Amino acid sequence: MRRLVYSVAASLDGFIAGPKGEYDWIRRDSGIDFAALYRRFDTLLMGRRTYDVAKTNPGLLTSMGMKIVVVSTTLDPALHAGVIVVSRNLPEAVAALKAEPGKDIWLFGGSVLFRSLLDLGMVDEVSVSVFPVMLGAGVPLLPKGARAQLKLNESKALPSGVLMLSYSVVGTRPSG
Amino acid sequence: MRRLVYSVAASLDGFIAGPKGEYDWIRRDSGIDFAALYRRFDTLLMGRRTYDVAKTNPGLLTSMGMKIVVVSTTLDPALHAGVIVVSRNLPEAVAALKAEPGKDIWLFGGSVLFRSLLDLGMVDEVSVSVFPVMLGAGVPLLPKGARAQLKLNESKALPSGVLMLSYSVVGTRPSG
């Protein structure tokens, strides 16, 4: 079964965007091998707000050449050609997607969808590019909720100071 | 001048303790070389609440064999032998401490004191042992405020999956 991978850039203090959604800290000269990253996946799974933001960058999603799956109860599939809309039965829809043949699935965001799928035990891997910055506030890597135990599989420091980390999700349990 | 180092254990999502102050996720079998860590410092600088918590672990602070400096407006020095209390003029007191001869200074916590000293431009280094867990909630590595740019100096993955990271603080600026 192909793996569902939450792959994001984050700050050392655990934010994936600034308080106003800023991503200026994600430096283009970071040395991240985006081509290799893209080659691993053939499907992008995302929430509706992430889709809306991605669409404001013309050609971004289509240039990635992947199947696009958007979780939304409001998006009209008739108005978004080339997009598969999941409007109900999230666990079943994601299970079916994972059971299809193909490459791994990129959980592209947002973090709220990550939290939902993590709590359902459906996220296999968390891959974080940690940029050398503390944002001090912003959109959390993981919204509030249960603790999740991880297993470090890979870590590599790029000359830019970006850390490429890859973890398997071992399990979740309520925290506190 | 000796360096002021914020050295803490954190989760991948940027918490240094759980929502109820839990630190059960800081595994004793992590493989961290505490003896080497301790050898680097001769002074512990901390806030009053961190001092109160540390004192509940009998012998912890004295066994570390370091000068203990507590920032507090309420602590009575007469009742805490062996402790230097900084009750006012924090920037001047810390500047004087850094100018003394000796080993580096361990900013032992809490994160509120870290935020104050970071904003004053007095923290030289951030050393984080990132444990393979996402806590989902808790005490943040850095309380809300300005962004801080870092420079990665060292990274090492231990067999336990703990990442030993060391950053220099490059600068701060208001975020958002």
Side-chain angles (χ1 to χ4, degrees):
Chain A
M1 187 174 294
R2 55 200 191 143
R3 290 165 72 82
L4 181 60
V5 182
Y6 182 53
S7 181
V8 289
S11 63
L12 180 62
D13 56 340
F15 296 105
I16 57 169
K20 294 175 182 167
E22 304 93 317
Y23 51 89
D24 60 289
W25 50 278
I26 302 178
R27 301 279 303 268
R28 285 179 183 275
D29 57 356
S30 62
I32 294 177
D33 184 350
F34 285 102
L37 178 64
Y38 289 12
R39 269 197 304 274
R40 182 180 170 185
F41 302 105
D42 65 9
T43 303
L44 292 172
L45 175 63
M46 69 191 84
R48 199 260 310 156
R49 272 172 293 198
T50 299
Y51 175 65
D52 284 345
V53 172
K55 273 194 309 172
T56 64
N57 193 335
L60 171 68
L61 291 177
T62 50
S63 73
M64 294 173 80
M66 301 190 201
K67 180 193 271 193
I68 298 169
V69 182
V70 179
V71 178
S72 170
T73 54
T74 57
L75 205 68
D76 181 354
L79 299 177
H80 297 269
V83 170
I84 297 164
V85 178
V86 172
S87 59
R88 59 200 177 105
N89 298 338
L90 179 67
E92 293 79 3
V94 173
L97 199 62
K98 289 178 72 171
E100 284 177 10
K103 295 182 181 181
D104 287 339
I105 303 163
W106 187 345
L107 176 48
F108 201 62
S111 57
V112 173
L113 181 59
F114 170 47
R115 165 55 82 191
S116 300
L117 293 171
L118 182 72
D119 289 350
L120 287 165
M122 304 192 83
V123 180
D124 301 291
E125 195 178 315
V126 177
S127 289
V128 184
S129 308
V130 180
F131 279 68
V133 67
M134 292 183 295
L135 291 176
V139 180
L141 176 69
L142 173 64
K144 199 164 180 166
R147 185 188 290 197
Q149 200 64 44
L150 304 172
K151 179 180 173 295
L152 180 67
N153 293 321
E154 280 182 54
S155 71
K156 186 184 169 189
L158 303 181
S160 61
V162 173
L163 285 167
M164 308 294 291
L165 308 179
S166 178
Y167 294 90
S168 297
V169 177
V170 177
T172 58
R173 72 166 183 80
S175 52
Chain B
M1 187 174 295
R2 54 200 191 143
R3 292 165 70 81
L4 180 60
V5 182
Y6 181 52
S7 181
V8 288
S11 63
L12 180 62
D13 56 341
F15 296 105
I16 57 170
K20 294 174 183 167
E22 303 94 319
Y23 50 89
D24 58 291
W25 50 276
I26 303 177
R27 301 279 301 269
R28 284 179 183 275
D29 57 356
S30 62
I32 295 176
D33 185 351
F34 286 102
L37 178 65
Y38 288 13
R39 269 196 305 273
R40 181 180 172 185
F41 302 105
D42 65 8
T43 303
L44 293 172
L45 175 63
M46 69 191 84
R48 199 261 308 155
R49 271 170 293 196
T50 298
Y51 175 66
D52 283 346
V53 171
K55 273 192 309 172
T56 65
N57 192 336
L60 170 68
L61 291 177
T62 51
S63 73
M64 294 171 80
M66 301 189 200
K67 180 193 271 193
I68 298 169
V69 182
V70 178
V71 178
S72 171
T73 54
T74 58
L75 204 68
D76 180 354
L79 300 177
H80 297 267
V83 170
I84 296 164
V85 177
V86 172
S87 59
R88 59 200 179 105
N89 298 336
L90 179 67
E92 293 77 4
V94 173
L97 200 60
K98 290 178 71 171
E100 285 177 10
K103 296 182 180 181
D104 287 339
I105 302 163
W106 187 344
L107 176 48
F108 200 62
S111 56
V112 173
L113 181 60
F114 171 46
R115 165 56 80 189
S116 300
L117 293 171
L118 183 72
D119 290 348
L120 286 166
M122 304 192 84
V123 180
D124 300 291
E125 193 178 316
V126 176
S127 289
V128 184
S129 307
V130 180
F131 278 69
V133 67
M134 294 183 293
L135 291 176
V139 180
L141 175 69
L142 173 64
K144 198 165 180 165
R147 184 189 291 199
Q149 200 64 43
L150 305 171
K151 179 179 173 295
L152 180 67
N153 293 322
E154 280 183 55
S155 69
K156 184 184 170 189
L158 303 181
S160 61
V162 172
L163 286 166
M164 306 295 290
L165 308 178
S166 177
Y167 294 89
S168 296
V169 177
V170 177
T172 58
R173 71 166 183 79
S175 53

